[in-house]
């Protein structure tokens, strides 16, 4: 997957993951705050309110029970009838209020609360009945009313016990709600710590993966460049398969090395051709040197021939002078006979042969000069 990402995307991967994890962490923290708020609201608005309501009901029952004893005392004291009726009505209102509160409790009660609430309602009904009978008898016979009040006292003790049991249950449920909220807070804290550690671990893991992915390509390029700097062009290709800038550089480097190898092979072939041509040139130079030495020998022979020719020319000139002298002498001595003429003819033939030899030597000299000029131009 990392091979398909560009460098910018790889560098943004770890921060993006951190942002996602931070968002999840914030959402979890918000959820935890909502749950804690709900738990606090449940404890304050439900459990504490119900506990306070049970305490109020118990207080109202005790106060109403005290009013019942007060009513009996007022009956014995011959208090005014209107005060007795007012106190009786107040006791009835308190009992009705207690019954209404227990009825509202029963409507919103949980499964564990229903049994003690129903028992309290039953005990309240029995107690109200006993108190009503006591109030009715108090106006007739005080002793009977006292005995009836003892029965009402027993009913009140049962009602108070049920209300106390309900209060203890409400207290226990409040403590359980507090313990549950505390445990939930602890669980939330552990979950948040786990999410933080998970975020750090995932961030480090993604960072290390991105680092290893990038360094692998960079190290491969560095090794190839190092081998290229040392003159080794037989390094294996990088074979980059990713789509980021590092793999693009690796592919470009492979292409460059391939082109460089092709260029070096071309240069090596050219060098081989140049070496062959150099060997041929060296062989030609050796042949030229040999021919030059031969030409030098020929020139030495030509020089020797020229010296001989010069001597011959001098001799011919001397012979010519002699011939001229002899011709003069022959002219003068023409009369001397055929022997002198024959000698002159022989001398002229010798001169003619020498002239032909001079012409041949001059031709040879011209050929040697032409070859010398060609050799000089080749050199």
């Amino acid at each position: 997957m990392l091979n398909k990402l560009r460098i910018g995307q790889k560098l943004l991967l770890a921060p993006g993951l951190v942002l996602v994890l931070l968002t999840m962490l914030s959402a979890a923290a918000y959820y935890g705050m909502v749950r804690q708020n709900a738990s606090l609201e449940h404890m304050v608005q439900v459990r504490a309110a119900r506990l306070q309501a049970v305490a109020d009901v118990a207080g109202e029952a005790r106060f109403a029970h005290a009013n019942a004893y007060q009513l009996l005392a007022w009956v014995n004291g011959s208090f005014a009838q209107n005060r007795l009726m007012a106190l009786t009505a107040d006791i009835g209102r308190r009992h009705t209020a207690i019954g209404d509160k227990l009825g509202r409790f029963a409507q919103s009660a949980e499964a564990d609360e229903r049994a003690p609430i129903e028992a309290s309602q039953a005990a309240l009904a029995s107690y109200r009945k006993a108190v009503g009978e006591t109030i009715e008898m108090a106006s007739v016979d005080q002793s009977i009313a006292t005995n009836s009040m003892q029965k009402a006292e027993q009913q009140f003790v049962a009602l108070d016990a049920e209300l106390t049991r309900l209060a203890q249950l409400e207290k226990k449920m409040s403590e359980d709600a507090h313990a549950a909220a505390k445990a939930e807070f602890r669980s939330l804290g552990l979950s948040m710590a786990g999410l933080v550690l998970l975020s750090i671990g995932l961030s480090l893991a993604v960072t290390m993966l991105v680092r290893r992915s990038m360094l692998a390509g960079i190290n491969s390029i560095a090794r190839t460049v190092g081998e290229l700097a040392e003159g080794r062009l037989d390094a294996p290709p990088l074979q980059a398969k990713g789509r980021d800038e590092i793999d693009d550089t690796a592919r470009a480097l492979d292409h460059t090395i391939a082109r460089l190898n092709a260029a070096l092979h071309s240069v090596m072939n050219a060098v081989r051709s140049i070496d062959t041509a150099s060997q041929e040139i060296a062989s030609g130079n050796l042949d030229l040197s040999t021919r030059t030495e031969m030409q030098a020998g020929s020139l030495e022979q030509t020089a020797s021939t020229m010296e001989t020719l010069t001597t011959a020319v001098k001799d011919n000139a001397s012979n010519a002078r002699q011939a001229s002298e002899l011709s003069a002498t022959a002219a003068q001595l023409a009369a001397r006979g055929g022997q002198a003429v024959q000698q002159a003819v022989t001398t002229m033939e010798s001169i003619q042969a020498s002239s032909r030899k001079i012409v041949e030597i001059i031709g040879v000299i011209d050929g040697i000069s032409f070859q010398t000029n060609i050799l000089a131009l080749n050199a």
Side-chain angles (χ1 to χ4, degrees):
M1 178 181 177
L2 292 177
N3 292 331
K4 298 180 181 179
L5 299 178
R6 308 291 287 179
I7 289 180
Q9 295 172 340
K10 289 181 180 179
L11 294 177
L12 291 175
L13 183 61
L17 180 61
V18 171
L19 289 176
V20 171
L21 292 175
L22 285 177
T23 303
M24 295 175 59
L25 188 62
S26 301
Y30 177 76
Y31 174 76
M33 291 174 61
V34 171
R35 290 294 302 272
Q36 284 295 302
N37 184 55
S39 299
L40 290 174
E41 288 182 352
H42 180 71
M43 285 191 296
V44 173
Q45 297 180 3
V46 178
R47 296 266 67 89
R50 293 177 74 85
L51 182 61
Q52 183 63 41
V54 172
D56 292 341
V57 167
E60 288 287 336
R62 293 186 182 98
F63 192 76
H65 187 61
N67 286 338
Y69 277 105
Q70 185 180 5
L71 179 63
L72 291 178
W74 283 7
V75 170
N76 290 331
S78 300
F79 277 74
Q81 190 65 30
N82 58 346
R83 295 184 67 182
L84 294 176
M85 292 179 64
L87 185 57
T88 302
D90 185 62
I91 292 173
R93 285 194 301 270
R94 290 182 183 277
H95 287 168
T96 302
I98 293 171
D100 293 339
K101 288 183 178 180
L102 289 176
R104 287 194 296 271
F105 265 22
Q107 291 177 358
S108 60
E110 297 180 4
D112 295 336
E113 297 174 313
R114 289 173 184 170
I117 290 176
E118 291 175 356
S120 298
Q121 288 176 332
L124 177 63
S126 299
Y127 172 69
R128 289 182 67 180
K129 181 179 179 181
V131 169
E133 292 176 352
T134 301
I135 293 173
E136 291 177 358
M137 292 179 182
S139 60
V140 177
D141 188 352
Q142 184 66 32
S143 60
I144 296 175
T146 302
N147 293 329
S148 179
M149 191 61 193
Q150 291 177 357
K151 181 180 178 182
E153 179 68 26
Q154 294 175 357
Q155 297 296 329
F156 174 75
V157 171
L159 174 61
D160 188 66
E162 292 297 334
L163 291 176
T164 301
R165 187 162 69 93
L166 180 60
Q168 291 175 351
L169 177 62
E170 292 295 335
K171 182 179 179 181
K172 181 178 181 300
M173 293 181 71
S174 297
E175 291 175 351
D176 292 341
H178 177 266
K182 187 176 181 180
E184 185 178 7
F185 179 77
R186 186 182 299 108
S187 176
L188 179 63
L190 294 175
S191 299
M192 295 290 289
L195 283 176
V196 170
L197 294 177
L198 179 63
S199 302
I200 295 173
L202 287 177
S203 301
L204 291 176
V206 172
T207 302
M208 294 302 295
L209 288 175
V210 172
R211 177 180 178 272
R212 185 174 65 180
S213 176
M214 295 178 65
L215 287 180
I218 293 174
N219 291 332
S220 299
I221 293 175
R223 286 194 300 270
T224 303
V225 171
E227 293 179 356
L228 183 62
E230 293 177 359
R232 295 196 299 270
L233 298 179
D234 55 349
L238 298 175
Q239 295 180 351
K241 298 180 180 179
R243 294 191 298 182
D244 59 359
E245 289 81 355
I246 296 175
D247 289 331
D248 291 342
T249 304
R251 284 189 288 270
L253 182 60
D254 287 340
H255 182 67
T256 301
I257 292 174
R259 295 289 298 275
L260 185 59
N261 280 325
L264 288 178
H265 284 305
S266 300
V267 170
M268 290 179 64
N269 292 330
V271 167
R272 291 192 186 94
S273 300
I274 292 172
D275 182 63
T276 302
S278 298
Q279 292 177 358
E280 293 177 354
I281 291 172
S283 177
N285 288 333
L286 182 61
D287 294 338
L288 180 61
S289 176
T290 302
R291 288 197 298 271
T292 302
E293 291 177 356
M294 293 176 63
Q295 293 294 334
S298 299
L299 287 175
E300 290 179 356
Q301 293 178 359
T302 302
S304 176
T305 305
M306 289 294 293
E307 290 178 357
T308 303
L309 180 60
T310 301
T311 302
V313 169
K314 289 180 179 180
D315 291 341
N316 289 333
S318 178
N319 292 330
R321 285 194 297 271
Q322 289 178 4
S324 177
E325 291 175 356
L326 289 173
S327 297
T329 303
Q332 294 175 2
L333 298 176
R336 290 184 180 182
Q339 187 177 0
V341 174
Q342 185 64 34
Q343 186 177 0
V345 172
T346 304
T347 302
M348 291 299 294
E349 290 178 352
S350 177
I351 292 170
Q352 186 177 2
S354 296
S355 296
R356 284 195 301 270
K357 188 179 292 184
I358 289 170
V359 171
E360 292 176 356
I361 291 171
I362 290 171
V364 171
I365 291 171
D366 288 336
I368 292 171
S369 298
F370 178 75
Q371 292 180 358
T372 303
N373 290 331
I374 291 174
L375 292 173
L377 290 174
N378 290 331

